[in-house]
């Protein structure tokens, strides 16, 4: 039986080195084909662990500590408490993402001072790399971490993204099997997009943002871009750190959802619908026809209108006949309008209708579902009556959606840089953004319909209005 060789014993190969520094070293990762980039990151990490273990570990810990302290306003006690309460999955994602950032843009302490990690890896004393691995690490060091809008998702296959800041850049189709399982159109992500064999891939680290947080980091990045640094590489570094810190801040110090305000009244926006059973359609129709401020008919619905001081006309209430012909709903956008409107409509309609229930939906609830926060669902003033079934509710939602989006194609939209959808589709990037917006509407409606136990309402009428094909 052969005798076990100690790690500090002379190597039996006769090199004169200790066994641990010669044949006793851990086996190197299997060599990749010359043109393949597979294994580049693992090989880089193995080399750093062997040659710069302390410097890399210190840089990683410093990066993590600095990011958390920045978020916690340099309060060390709060930073420690925040990290202690961080979800294990988020902590692991933070570690992976910071490692990837250090490989691309970070620097570590070496004997001669601080040196960029990418230069160490690609230098003459770096790891033995295949042609493909070297090309990947070179590109990895050049590609900046940027913010993207997700405009299309094919789960398990890939995503289409548009640059959230350089809005004139063409959309990119990115191969991404794992990440595409949890993304939705309308999301924003921080990522490094790599070009590989005529296609695109994410470099590995992905920073997903909630809808609200994504718009906030987009605004912050635009502010930074408006005041550029002397050296472009400093701007790239600052933008990357902003994305990382903003992503982590969602988990350490999530911002409260904003109050959504009705721009005319200044009140919180609510979606309020009063549901009535109709006893006498002729009497109700005649009463509405007599009102000078009411326009419309039974087929298209009625609107109670107000002429505003700014020259515009505002709808105070929307009245819609429900599918089935024996019910009507009256919808309002604020609590005050609902209280005033209820009194007005009850007097107007008299005995031609019978009140059944009031349904109140807070738009913040929908936002919270997008943000992943728990919020109460829509409340009703009484139990849903047997006659107000899922199809009746679906009909009411469909009427409301089509009325709300009636002029959507020609309305200026902030997310489209203040352009209308019809204007935006004149360019390839704008076309993809409009399609992404429509897909996000459809995804949101699908989720809401499932929660309410009704069929989802199609947004095909908006695609048709713009002459778009899916």
């Amino acid at each position: 039986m052969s005798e076990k060789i100690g790690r500090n014993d002379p190597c039996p190969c006769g090199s004169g080195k200790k066994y641990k520094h010669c044949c006793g070293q851990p086996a190197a990762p299997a060599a990749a084909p010359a043109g393949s980039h597979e294994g580049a990151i693992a090989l880089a990490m193995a080399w750093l662990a062997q040659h710069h273990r302390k410097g890399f570990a210190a840089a990683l810990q410093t990066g993590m500590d600095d990011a958390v302290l920045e978020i916690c306003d340099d309060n060390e006690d709060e930073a420690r408490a925040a990290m202690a309460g961080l979800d294990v999955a988020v902590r692991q994602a933070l570690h992976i993402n910071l490692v990837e950032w250090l490989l691309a843009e970070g620097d570590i302490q070496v004997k001669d001072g601080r040196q960029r990690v990418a230069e160490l890896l690609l230098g003459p004393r770096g790891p033995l790399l295949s042609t493909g691995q070297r090309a990947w690490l070179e590109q990895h060091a050049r590609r900046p971490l940027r913010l993207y809008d997700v405009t299309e998702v094919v789960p398990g296959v890939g995503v289409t993204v548009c640059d959230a800041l350089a809005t004139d850049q063409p959309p990119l189709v990115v191969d991404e099997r794992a990440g595409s399982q949890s993304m939705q159109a309308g999301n924003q992500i921080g990522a490094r997009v790599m070009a590989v064999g005529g296609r695109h891939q994410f470099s590995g680290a992905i920073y997903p943002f909630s809808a609200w947080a994504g718009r906030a980091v987009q605004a912050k990045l635009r502010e930074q871009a408006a005041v550029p640094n002397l050296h472009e590489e400093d701007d790239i570094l600052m933008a990357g750190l902003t994305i990382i810190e903003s992503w982590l801040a969602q988990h350490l110090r999530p911002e409260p959802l904003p109050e959504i305000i009705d721009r005319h009244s200044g009140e919180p926006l609510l979606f309020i619908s009063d549901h009535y059973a109709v006893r006498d359609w002729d009497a109700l129709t005649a009463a509405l026809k007599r009102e000078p401020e009411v326009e419309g008919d039974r087929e298209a619905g009625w609107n109670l209108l107000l002429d505003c001081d700014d020259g515009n006309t505002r709808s105070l209430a929307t009245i819609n006949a429900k599918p089935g012909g024996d019910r009507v709903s009256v919808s309002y956008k604020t609590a005050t309008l609902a209280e005033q409107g209820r009194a007005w409509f009850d007097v107007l309609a008299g005995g031609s209708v019978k009140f059944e229930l009031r349904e109140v939906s807070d738009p913040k609830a929908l936002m919270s579902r997008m943000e992943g926060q728990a919020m109460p669902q829509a409340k009703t003033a009484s139990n849903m009556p047997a006659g107000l079934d899922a199809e009746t509710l679906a009909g009411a939602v469909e009427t409301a959606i089509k009325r709300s989006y009636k002029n959507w194609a020609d309305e200026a939209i902030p997310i489209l840089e203040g352009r209308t959808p019809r204007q935006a589709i004149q360019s390839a990037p704008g076309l993809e953004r409009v399609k992404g917006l429509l897909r996000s509407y459809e995804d949101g409606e699908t989720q809401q319909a499932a929660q309410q136990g009704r069929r989802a309402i199609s947004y095909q009428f908006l695609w048709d209005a713009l002459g778009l094909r899916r």
Side-chain angles (χ1 to χ4, degrees), residues 312-336:
N312 293 319
T313 301
R314 181 189 182 196
S315 176
L316 301 180
T318 302
I319 305 160
N320 290 302
K322 314 291 280 187
D326 59 349
R327 282 184 169 77
V328 69
S329 68
V330 187
S331 301
Y332 313 94
K333 292 183 178 179
T334 70
T336 298

Side-chain angles (χ1 to χ4, degrees), residues 325-405:
D326 59 349
R327 282 184 169 77
V328 69
S329 68
V330 187
S331 301
Y332 313 94
K333 292 183 178 179
T334 70
T336 298
L337 287 178
E339 292 310 309
Q340 295 173 348
R342 168 78 183 277
W344 166 80
F345 187 75
D346 285 353
V347 171
L348 173 81
S352 65
V353 298
K354 178 186 177 183
F355 177 78
E356 291 187 328
L357 82 159
R358 167 166 287 184
E359 187 178 19
V360 182
S361 297
D362 186 345
K364 285 178 68 174
L366 176 59
M367 286 184 63
S368 70
R369 289 193 289 274
M370 296 171 67
E371 302 287 318
Q373 298 180 17
M375 286 282 285
Q377 300 298 313
K379 298 178 180 179
T380 56
S382 64
N383 292 328
M384 186 75 74
L388 196 61
D389 57 16
E391 184 55 35
T392 301
L393 178 58
V397 172
E398 183 170 22
T399 300
I401 286 175
K402 290 187 173 180
R403 182 176 295 279
S404 297
Y405 289 89

Side-chain angles (χ1 to χ4, degrees), residues 6-28:
R7 286 178 49 77
N8 290 313
D9 293 338
C11 187
C13 74
S15 65
K17 297 180 180 179
K18 291 184 179 180
Y19 179 69
K20 67 181 180 182
H21 293 314
C22 192
C23 296
Q25 293 188 81

Side-chain angles (χ1 to χ4, degrees), residues 4-236:
K4 184 177 179 179
I5 303 171
R7 286 178 49 77
N8 290 313
D9 293 338
C11 187
C13 74
S15 65
K17 297 180 180 179
K18 291 184 179 180
Y19 179 69
K20 67 181 180 182
H21 293 314
C22 192
C23 296
Q25 293 188 81
S36 172
H37 70 271
E38 296 299 329
I41 299 299
L43 187 58
M45 289 298 299
W47 183 85
L48 286 167
Q50 181 176 354
H51 296 278
H52 298 282
R53 181 177 59 82
K54 290 183 178 179
F56 191 77
L60 184 61
Q61 187 62 52
T62 299
M64 190 175 300
D65 292 343
D66 288 349
V68 176
L69 278 171
E70 176 71 21
I71 293 166
C72 296
D73 301 323
D74 292 326
N75 185 319
E76 294 185 2
D77 291 337
E78 183 180 348
R80 279 193 292 270
M83 284 299 293
L86 201 60
D87 182 83
V88 173
V90 176
R91 188 187 293 270
Q92 291 174 341
L94 174 61
H95 184 274
I96 292 169
N97 290 355
L98 282 177
V99 165
E100 199 248 18
W101 179 82
L102 278 172
L103 293 179
E105 300 177 53
D107 55 46
I108 62 174
Q109 184 68 39
V110 294
K111 290 182 179 179
D112 300 328
R114 298 197 70 82
Q115 189 169 353
R116 188 176 175 188
V117 175
E119 293 176 354
L120 290 170
L121 293 171
L122 297 168
R125 297 184 180 181
L128 183 62
L129 302 165
S130 70
T131 303
Q133 290 171 336
R134 176 170 291 277
W136 174 271
L137 291 177
E138 288 174 345
Q139 183 183 181
H140 188 252
R142 294 194 311 269
R143 296 280 182 176
L145 183 59
R146 293 191 64 83
L147 185 68
Y148 292 95
D149 293 310
V150 179
T151 57
E152 184 175 15
V153 178
V154 182
V157 178
V159 300
T160 301
V161 298
C162 292
D163 195 299
L165 298 180
T167 55
D168 59 339
Q169 293 298 304
L172 301 174
V173 178
V174 183
D175 299 331
E176 177 59 38
R177 292 185 179 180
S180 61
Q181 300 284 1
S182 58
M183 292 186 199
Q184 286 187 329
N187 288 166
Q188 287 187 305
I189 59 171
R192 220 179 291 271
V193 178
M194 309 280 283
V196 183
R199 301 181 67 83
H200 295 96
Q201 296 179 8
F202 292 129
S203 63
I206 298 177
Y207 301 84
F209 288 97
S210 63
W212 175 244
R215 299 305 164 199
V217 70
Q218 183 176 359
K220 189 180 296 184
L221 290 170
R222 281 182 171 158
E223 288 178 5
Q224 292 176 358
V227 187
N229 287 292
L230 184 61
H231 303 291
E232 183 181 1
E233 57 266 29
D234 292 335
D235 292 327
I236 294 172

